[in-house]
Amino acid sequence: MTSRETPFSAPVGAAQYGGTRAVSRCDSLGVAPYSEEEGALFRPYLSKAYRETVRCVSAWMEEAGMTTRQDAAGNLVGRYEGARPDAPALLIGSHLDSVRNAGRYDGPLGVMLGIEVVAYLSAHKKRLPFAVEVIGFGDEEGSRFPVSMLTSRAVADVLKAAPDTMKDAAGISLRDALGAEGFLLEDFSKAARNKKDVIAYFEAHIEQGPVLESENHAVGAVTAIAAQYRFLINIKGFAGHAGTMPMHLRQDALAAAAEAMVAIESIALQGAGDLVATVGRLDVAPGVPNVVPGGVAFTLDIRSGTESIRDKAAETIRTALAAIAEKRHVELSMELQQDLPATPCNSALTQALSDAIQKITGLSARKLVSGAGHDAMVMAALAPVCMLFIRCEKGISHNPAEAVTAEDVEIAFQVMVTFIESYAETYSARQEKIA
Ligand code: GLV
Ligand code: MN
Ligand code: MN
């Protein structure tokens, strides 16, 4: 080894890999044709931008030595065989879809890092006692249809059937959106993986919060992912003429929604430590200047690392909203659309990941709970999961200002290689014991 080489250097003549390339690939996916919008990133599930992204990322996967396919839910899956064919797989994944006006790293960075790890294994001609599969999930954000994590739920086999009635904001059903991309709603659940074929799921992701930056850690190990509820709240008032309807006779659905939102904010502010509640979308009918609003629908997202705190907040909000509706003579319904329980990461894998962090950074691993949702919380139903967080600037995410440094992502890459190689040793030792 020369003084410039590290254990992670590519052999002479081999293709390159590493954190810098992972970042620049995310950057190149941040613009058209990989975005539906000019000048901003928006990559919803089953869009043309998603199709282009799958095409581009599958080429990168193949170049890294993987075979590729799209599963029945449209997820992109690359496979790097282990030392023996048909060995069970370690899955490394995250999502390729995005929110509207997104940053470039939320999701794709975890997929790109998986590809870099495989490129490293390929360049060093290493085959592990298990296969490595890299998955780019199609729907994590729920930015097109009303619920999130549809496609990891299909893989983990926790979606009993793909919802037939679900429509996007343009009125296109999931069935038609799948059909337009060559998939069948009836086949959606065929994306399910068999537990015996999957040994673990690993996800690398930007932290999307400020903890690592404020404590000067490049990376951290996730111990658990917060519980989430997603509700749809409908308020039915009475539409009327804005010039003639006296104030005291109105049943204004939007004024009721405004009071409801202030109540939600105040309940969340008074709640225990990590409780958060967000109204992120509001649709007003008819939504014109000279009509008293007759109907409003809005979303409510409630999260906490502790399920009982989230549940208690949901009940308090339900009671407060019912009182507001009664006082204002409007009808209000609160429909639960999604319930994701708090998800602990596997403690043995998280310890092994922490050891790898210590080895690469020289610091004891910062362990933290994720307030953001991740495919890992669904994949936990299929296999033990663990997650690596990467510092992001000022904790900004779901925003075009999202930023990471190539140095931090290189550290994440080296941690992943170290973790996977040590996991391979543990796995082999365990297999020998069983034999
Ligand atoms: C996804 O980013 C979520 O946490 O909702
Ligand atoms: Mn996100
Ligand atoms: Mn994400």
Side-chain angles (χ1 to χ4, degrees):
M1 212 187 279
T2 70
S3 59
R4 288 180 63 80
E5 285 173 347
T6 74
F8 301 98
S9 300
V12 175
Q16 295 302 303
Y17 47 75
T20 303
R21 187 169 75 170
V23 174
S24 69
R25 284 182 166 177
C26 290
D27 291 342
S28 68
L29 292 176
V31 293
Y34 311 111
S35 169
E36 289 290 294
E37 285 175 5
E38 272 305 322
L41 173 58
F42 180 38
R43 189 163 51 236
Y45 177 43
L46 300 172
S47 60
K48 180 165 175 295
Y50 180 69
R51 187 195 320 145
E52 292 294 337
T53 301
V54 164
R55 203 195 319 266
C56 174
V57 177
S58 57
W60 290 337
M61 286 176 164
E62 282 161 23
E63 180 199 284
M66 287 179 261
T67 53
T68 59
R69 66 187 174 92
Q70 256 187 300
D71 69 15
N75 297 307
L76 172 62
V77 187
R79 183 172 166 100
Y80 181 74
E81 290 297 344
R84 72 177 168 79
D86 302 325
L90 167 70
L91 308 185
I92 304 177
S94 197
H95 56 101
L96 292 174
D97 68 325
S98 83
V99 291
R100 200 177 275 280
N101 201 27
R104 298 186 297 270
Y105 309 104
D106 170 6
L109 186 59
V111 183
M112 296 309 124
L113 276 166
I115 296 173
E116 297 306 322
V117 168
V118 171
Y120 163 90
L121 295 171
S122 263
H124 292 267
K125 302 194 167 28
K126 291 188 187 197
R127 294 284 167 184
L128 303 178
F130 42 79
V132 177
E133 290 192 20
V134 179
I135 303 196
F137 288 109
D139 168 67
E140 189 269 352
E141 301 284 8
S143 57
R144 177 160 184 183
F145 295 100
V147 297
S148 63
M149 302 193 203
L150 269 175
T151 58
S152 45
R153 286 196 273 165
V155 171
D157 203 13
V158 291
L159 198 63
K160 290 304 155 236
D164 206 356
T165 51
M166 206 161 63
K167 292 199 169 126
D168 69 8
I172 300 171
S173 66
L174 176 61
R175 173 185 294 281
D176 289 347
L178 284 165
E181 295 301 307
F183 300 102
L184 285 173
L185 184 87
E186 283 72 20
D187 287 349
F188 201 78
S189 57
K190 290 188 184 156
R193 299 296 295 264
N194 202 315
K195 281 191 173 155
K196 72 174 179 29
D197 296 331
V198 178
I199 55 176
Y201 173 79
F202 183 103
E203 183 162 356
H205 203 284
I206 56 167
E207 182 202 339
Q208 305 180 278
V211 175
L212 294 175
E213 187 180 65
S214 67
E215 296 181 18
N216 210 14
H217 290 272
V219 292
V222 178
T223 52
I225 308 169
Q228 288 185 27
Y229 272 146
R230 206 183 262 201
F231 289 97
L232 181 67
I233 295 168
N234 266 295
I235 302 182
K236 202 162 156 247
F238 198 81
H241 197 291
T244 60
M245 181 65 76
M247 294 308 288
H248 69 283
L249 293 179
R250 292 186 180 195
Q251 290 167 271
D252 183 333
L254 185 53
E259 191 174 343
M261 279 182 255
V262 173
I264 289 165
E265 184 188 42
S266 143
I267 290 163
L269 276 167
Q270 287 158 28
D274 68 345
L275 175 71
V276 285
T278 307
V279 174
R281 183 177 160 173
L282 180 89
D283 295 314
V284 182
V288 290
N290 58 350
V291 180
V292 176
V296 166
F298 65 91
T299 57
L300 170 62
D301 176 309
I302 310 177
R303 304 186 191 196
S304 167
T306 311
E307 244 160 75
S308 58
I309 293 177
R310 173 200 66 165
D311 295 0
K312 183 163 171 273
E315 270 327 293
T316 311
I317 288 172
R318 195 184 282 283
T319 307
L321 268 46
I324 292 166
E326 196 182 334
K327 183 183 73 180
R328 289 180 166 272
H329 307 294
V330 295
E331 282 171 36
L332 184 145
S333 65
M334 187 164 155
E335 180 200 333
L336 180 62
Q337 293 199 302
Q338 186 159 297
D339 173 2
L340 292 169
T343 309
C345 292
N346 178 272
S347 55
L349 291 177
T350 305
Q351 189 50 53
L353 180 60
S354 302
D355 293 346
I357 291 173
Q358 167 122 38
K359 197 162 168 191
I360 296 301
T361 64
L363 297 173
S364 120
R366 176 65 162 96
K367 295 189 179 165
L368 64 176
V369 171
S370 173
H374 299 288
D375 292 298
M377 62 198 306
V378 167
M379 295 298 280
L382 179 72
V385 301
C386 78
M387 280 196 78
L388 176 68
F389 264 178
I390 301 154
R391 163 167 60 189
C392 62
E393 200 180 303
K394 299 194 184 91
I396 295 171
S397 186
H398 284 186
N399 185 312
E402 204 171 84
V404 289
T405 66
E407 291 74 23
D408 285 354
V409 180
E410 176 62 24
I411 289 170
F413 162 73
Q414 295 188 5
V415 166
M416 285 170 74
V417 170
T418 306
F419 165 79
I420 285 162
E421 292 192 325
S422 99
Y423 183 60
E425 279 171 29
T426 316
Y427 182 83
S428 293
R430 213 171 46 216
Q431 295 303 105
E432 271 166 31
K433 243 191 195 164
I434 295 168

